[in-house]
Amino acid sequence: MANSRPNSLLKRPKLLITAVVAACFGFSLGATEWAQADATAPALSINTNTAPQQALVALPDFTPIIDRYGPAVVNISSTTNKVIHQQTNPFPPNSPFYQFFQHFGAPGQRGGPRHQQHEKIQSLGSGFIISPDGYIVTAGHVVRGANHIVVTLTNHHAYPAKLIGLSVRYDTALLKIDAKDLPTVPIGNSDHLKVGQWLLAVGAPFGFYNTVTQGVVSAMNRPLPDDEYIPFIQSDVPINPGNSGGPLFNMKGQVIGINDQIYTNSGGYMGLSFSIPINTVMRVVQDFKDHKPIQFGYLGVEVQDVTPQMAQALHLQEPVGALVASVMPGSPAAKAGIQAGDVIVTYNGKPVYNVGQLPPLVGNTVPGSHANVGILHHGVAETKNVLVTALPKNMDEPSNSTQPSKPTKTLKIPRMDIHVQDLTPDIEKQLDVHHGVVVVGVSEGPAAEAGLMPGMIIQQINQQTVNNVSTLASIVASLPADQPVPMLVRQGKASIYVVITLSKK
C-alpha cells in the first residue's frame, strides 16, 4: 500500500497515451479491458531504503582540527598613533595663488601655520600560540609600529601583548602575553608540502573572528617582488584582511605557514593567497627567543633572468636559471670562482628556474655554512662550493649614475652606432670598476635598440672583457652580423646583461 500512490502516478501518462491512440484508430476499450491492462502491467519498484550510503568520493572533514587546535588561534588588535600635519594654505607651493595665502601664516612660517593632529589607527589580525607560557606568532605587518597590542583568546579573555621581535624582511613577529597553561598548535614541516594537498586557514577576515576556510596548495616556493627572501606557499584558500598572521594547517593539524598576502584588484580575495612557510618563520622565531640578530645568507652576486633571446646569445639550450651580471669583489661567490656571465641553475640541489627563486634559497642559508652552487660556465656545467656569509648591513645603499669627466680617448663604433670613451680615475674610484668603456653618445641603431644610454659602462661583449675603446673596437670587428650577442653593461653601481645584434661591417 505504501507504493500505490507513486505507482499510479507513474502509470497515468502511459494510460493517457493509450486512450489517444485508440481514439485515432476509431475504437474504444471497455472497463474490463482497462482493468486487464492495468493488472498485467509490470509493477515499478522504488527503493525506499533510507540507510546511509558510503560516499563515492572521500572529502576531508576539518572538524577534528578545529575542535583540537582552534582554541590556540587568537585575534590581535593593535593601535598606532599617526601624526598628521595640516597647513592652512589651501594651494600647493607651485600654484600661482600660493603667494596670496602666505600672509595668513604665523611670523617666520612659509605657507601658513602647520598644525599637528594625532590620529589613532586600529588594525585587526590573527595569530597562534606556540607555547603554553604565552608566546604567539603573527605576521610582522599586523603589529609593526603599534603602540598598543591586545590579544584575545577564543574564550574571550583579552591580554596586553609585548612585542619580543619583528623582522620586516621575513614579515614575522613574536609576541608574549602574561598567561599560563594555554592551548598550543603543533608545528609541521613546510618542506614536505606538495601541490594539490588540502589546507585549512583560521583567522578573523574583516573582523569576523574564528572564521575557517579551506583550499589546496597551488604552488610552492613562489617569489614575490617586494619579499625576495620569502619562498611563499601559494594556495586558493580564501583569506582576506584580518586573516594576516593566522595559521595555515595541513591535514595532520600541523601549522605549515602564516597567512600573509593576497593578490587582488578589489581589496578582497580573488583566488590567490600567499603564506610564509613555517620553516622560515620558526628560524626567525628562535632567533627572537634567543635574542639574536636576524641574519641572512649572502652570496655576493647580482643576477637577472635568462630571456629566450639571452639564452640564444649565450648558446644555452633553455632560457632557465639566474644569469650572474656582476660579482662583488671579495664576496663568497668571488672566492668560489663564480664569474659574471655564469648562469646559476641549482642551489644546494634545488633547481633555479628563474631569478626570483635564488634570493630565498640564499637568504635562508645559515651564515657560515657551505652551499653547492650549480652553474653553466660558457655552457659547461660546473659545481662551485661556496662558504655563505652573513648579508652586510650596508647592502641597501642607493646607487647613483655617473657621467664621464675629462675622458682620455673617444672612439666611434659604427657597427653599434655609439661613441665611447676610456674610463677616468674618478669613475673607477667612485664606481669601483677597473675595466670597461663609457658610452658618451648613442645614435639610432643596434646599441639604442639594446637599451644603451650615455653614462653606461660596457664591460663585456660576447663574454670577452673590454679594457678600453681599442679592445671594444677589435672585438666588435670580429663578431658576426645579425646574430644576438650578450653584452655586460653597468649603470651606476648596478650591472646587467643586454642582447645586441650588430649590423654588417
Side-chain angles (χ1 to χ4, degrees), residues 68-69 71-73 128-132 153-154 180-185:
R68 182 174 298 184
Y69 302 119
V73 181
F128 51 95
I129 307 171
I130 60 171
S131 65
L153 309 185
T154 56
K180 296 180 179 179
D181 301 325
L182 296 175
T184 62
V185 295

Side-chain angles (χ1 to χ4, degrees), residues 411-413 468-478:
L411 185 66
K412 179 180 180 181
I413 311 294
N468 48 51
V469 295
S470 300
T471 305
L472 177 63
S474 176
I475 296 174
V476 170
S478 65

Side-chain angles (χ1 to χ4, degrees), residues 168-180:
V168 176
R169 287 184 182 268
Y170 282 134
D171 199 19
T172 299
L174 179 66
L175 308 178
K176 179 70 169 62
I177 63 175
D178 187 10
K180 296 180 179 179

Side-chain angles (χ1 to χ4, degrees), residues 11 14-15 32-44:
K11 289 182 179 180
K14 179 179 178 181
L15 296 178
T32 304
E33 293 172 331
W34 277 110
Q36 290 177 352
D38 187 66
T40 56
L44 295 181

Side-chain angles (χ1 to χ4, degrees), residues 234-312:
Q234 181 186 331
S235 73
D236 66 347
V237 178
I239 63 174
N240 285 285
N243 273 112
S244 291
L248 190 67
F249 290 97
N250 61 15
M251 290 300 95
K252 295 180 180 179
Q254 301 169 332
V255 175
I256 46 79
I258 293 181
N259 299 316
D260 191 66
Q261 298 183 37
I262 57 174
Y263 179 87
T264 179
N265 290 325
S266 62
Y269 171 74
M270 292 179 60
L272 296 175
S273 304
F274 299 94
S275 305
I276 308 173
I278 198 64
N279 289 15
T280 301
V281 170
M282 294 311 294
R283 171 175 169 261
V284 178
V285 167
Q286 191 59 48
D287 287 340
F288 288 152
K289 296 181 73 173
D290 296 340
H291 303 287
K292 295 180 179 179
I294 305 300
Q295 292 185 325
F296 303 87
Y298 173 65
L299 199 59
V301 294
E302 291 181 339
V303 290
Q304 65 183 89
D305 271 326
V306 180
T307 63
Q309 190 178 20
M310 182 64 71
Q312 183 181 1

Side-chain angles (χ1 to χ4, degrees), residues 221-224 228 230 303 305 322 352 354-361:
N221 301 316
R222 182 71 77 193
L224 295 181
E228 60 179 357
I230 303 176
V303 290
D305 271 326
V352 177
N354 55 62
V355 68
Q357 292 178 310
L358 186 61
L361 295 175

